Amino acid sequence: MNPNWRSFLESAEGEFSADAAELISFGDPAGELQAAAGQTVLVPLTHLAQLEAHGDDAKSFLHNQFTSDINHLPAAHAQHAGWCSAKGRMQASFLVWQNADAYRLLLSADLVEFTLKRLPMFILRSKVKLTACAERVMLGLAGPQAGEALADAGLPCPAEDLGLALAGEHEVVRLEAGRYLIATPVSALPDLWQKLSVKARPAGVPVWRWLDVRAAFPLVTLATKEEFVPQMADFEKIGGVSFHKGCYPGQEIVARTQYLGKVKRHLFRVSCAAEFKAGDVLHSPGNPDQSVGLIMTAAAAPEGGFAGLAVIQSSHAGDVHLGALDGPLLQAVAVNP
């Protein structure tokens, strides 16, 4: 984490996890979570990080590595993209957009080291440079006054989902109505934070994870790396997979899975009184010999208990348990029934 970013958050009374990797809260985690259910919140997205790809061949390189169509990515839009292994399993998921001649790649922060080590191995003679955006940070803004907060801060508000708006050194992506990502230099943060926080309550990353669960926003993390083909996370349904482009790593398996209709696992919203986390294994008495699912995202819920996204074998989603056959029972509802 950028030390100036961390120092600023600590000065704003932000509290970090034991490993100092993630902002947990601003002193009132329960109140922040309740606020997210109906008010406007401002979240430092310390669990996410940005990479930048630039150079003459950046577009073609990303197009040949990612699951979505980077060649036809509109200038004023962001797009989901996956990066698969040769076996078609997702090594990372990205939100991709373009600013001038550079491509921004937003991903889980715990996958940055792996991605920066592995992805450049495929550059070969291409004119591409892949770097971490160490001086840029991400803010999340969500709630009924989010649009007004953007306007008060002098930032544009994209009119459609995954729309991108640029304002000098700031980049704004609309995830959905009332929820936005803001990429900004660390140097501009104090002034921007002051303006946004007039209408938005500062909150920790757990709040944003709950919002991701509510929106069914799938994010591959270190705990779930190489666990899913894209269709298991319903990634193709949010524009993260193109079936009309050329080859990319794992493309044959991803295409075969699609056209043969062999996807038996899909994305579900889950809830449970017991706490769970990304990477936790799920079981069902109906299939006792192997696991039937995996938690993808987990968060405390405002109404109590815990909520999450999980990839589950659809035929057993009605009776799925956390950790063991006799573990706590989860309630599961298909995101795309």
Side-chain angles (χ1 to χ4, degrees), residues 11-330:
S11 71
E13 301 184 351
E15 298 179 356
F16 283 81
S17 58
D19 61 1
E22 187 171 294
L23 184 88
I24 298 300
S25 75
F26 286 88
D28 183 13
E32 293 164 19
L33 196 57
Q34 290 295 327
Q39 301 174 34
T40 302
V41 292
L42 176 63
V43 182
L45 303 180
T46 58
H47 67 306
L48 301 178
Q50 294 177 83
L51 304 181
E52 181 180 281
H54 56 91
D56 293 344
D57 298 328
K59 179 195 290 187
S60 60
F61 172 73
L62 296 177
H63 184 81
N64 292 335
Q65 288 295 318
F66 290 174
T67 56
S68 61
D69 188 347
I70 304 299
N71 279 348
H72 295 93
L73 173 61
H77 283 79
Q79 182 172 281
H80 293 283
W83 179 42
C84 293
S85 69
K87 295 182 179 180
R89 300 277 170 155
M90 294 177 71
Q91 301 179 107
S93 60
F94 301 92
L95 195 63
V96 183
W97 65 88
Q98 187 177 9
N99 187 341
D101 59 349
Y103 286 85
R104 311 285 197 201
L105 314 176
L106 186 68
L107 75 163
S108 179
D110 59 9
L111 287 174
V112 167
E113 182 178 356
F114 166 79
T115 304
L116 282 176
K117 181 178 179 180
R118 179 71 177 166
L119 187 55
M121 294 173 62
F122 301 94
I123 291 177
L124 302 177
R125 296 183 180 179
S126 298
K127 296 178 181 178
V128 184
K129 188 173 182 180
L130 190 68
T131 58
C133 298
E135 297 302 318
R136 295 185 66 79
V137 297
M138 297 298 304
L139 297 174
L141 183 68
Q145 290 187 294
E148 295 177 33
L150 286 173
D152 290 350
L155 296 179
C157 184
E160 56 185 342
D161 292 356
L162 295 185
L164 167 69
L166 307 177
E169 55 195 358
H170 307 296
E171 301 163 343
V172 181
V173 177
R174 170 174 151 166
L175 294 178
E176 56 186 318
R179 196 158 80 114
Y180 304 88
L181 297 171
I182 305 166
T184 186
V186 176
S187 58
L189 187 61
D191 180 62
L192 181 61
W193 182 272
Q194 183 179 16
K195 292 175 179 177
L196 291 173
S197 59
V198 171
K199 285 189 169 70
R201 175 175 177 169
V205 168
V207 165
W208 197 259
R209 283 206 177 93
W210 178 74
L211 291 169
D212 277 350
V213 170
R214 190 173 68 172
F217 184 91
L219 177 69
V220 176
T221 63
L222 187 61
T224 57
K225 180 173 76 74
E226 297 188 50
E227 293 288 348
F228 318 122
V229 296
Q231 294 97 320
M232 290 181 184
D234 290 358
F235 210 63
E236 82 285 7
K237 295 175 182 176
I238 58 172
V241 182
S242 170
F243 297 103
H244 305 288
K245 57 176 282 187
C247 293
Y248 55 85
Q251 184 265 346
E252 183 178 351
I253 293 171
V254 173
R256 186 189 310 132
T257 300
Q258 183 73 13
Y259 294 122
L260 295 182
K262 291 186 176 182
V263 185
K264 297 180 179 180
R265 300 187 179 213
H266 288 283
L267 194 65
F268 286 76
R269 290 188 185 91
V270 295
S271 58
C272 186
E275 185 174 4
F276 52 84
K277 63 184 183 302
D280 281 352
V281 176
L282 306 178
H283 294 270
S284 174
N287 187 8
D289 296 329
Q290 61 183 15
S291 70
V292 298
L294 197 72
I295 299 293
M296 191 172 195
T297 302
E303 64 273 17
F306 296 85
L309 298 174
V311 172
I312 304 175
Q313 190 172 333
S314 299
S315 58
H316 297 290
D319 188 11
V320 62
H321 297 255
L322 178 63
L325 291 173
D326 59 351
L329 180 68
L330 275 76

